[in-house]
Amino acid sequence: MDIPDTLIDLQRAADAEWTRLAELTDNDEREQQRLVWFEVGARAQAAITEWAREHEKNRYKVEKAVREAVRYPEAGGS
């Protein structure tokens, strides 16, 4: 599946925010970062859903391909 760079970039951003969240120990900072991660993740999900709908693709399969392209680039996911 040919995944657009915009979807990969959005997923990378969501993963980066999750990494920041996982590193925090202060509860107030974690809650603030959780909201940031949630917002960025929601934007990625919305873009994936829209792209899948426009291209008549299964959203789950598109999401899986995007995540694999981001998390396992050496496998040639993108």
Side-chain angles (χ1 to χ4, degrees), residues 1-67:
M1 184 178 307
D2 191 24
I3 303 297
D5 290 341
T6 53
L7 297 183
I8 291 171
D9 291 344
L10 286 167
Q11 186 61 50
R12 279 189 183 130
D15 286 1
E17 296 302 339
W18 170 255
T19 299
R20 287 186 195 101
L21 174 62
E23 294 170 348
L24 294 173
T25 56
D26 179 76
N27 283 339
D28 291 334
E29 289 177 354
R30 279 186 60 81
E31 181 57 22
Q32 205 171 13
Q33 181 60 29
R34 187 190 68 76
L35 295 173
V36 171
W37 164 70
F38 184 85
E39 240 346 275
V40 174
R43 281 195 299 269
Q45 288 295 308
I48 288 168
T49 299
E50 171 127 1
W51 189 88
R53 183 178 17 244
E54 287 175 0
H55 292 86
E56 298 180 351
K57 303 284 185 186
N58 179 291
R59 190 207 57 81
Y60 171 78
K61 289 180 180 179
V62 173
E63 180 182 352
K64 183 176 185 242
V66 169
R67 288 180 188 229

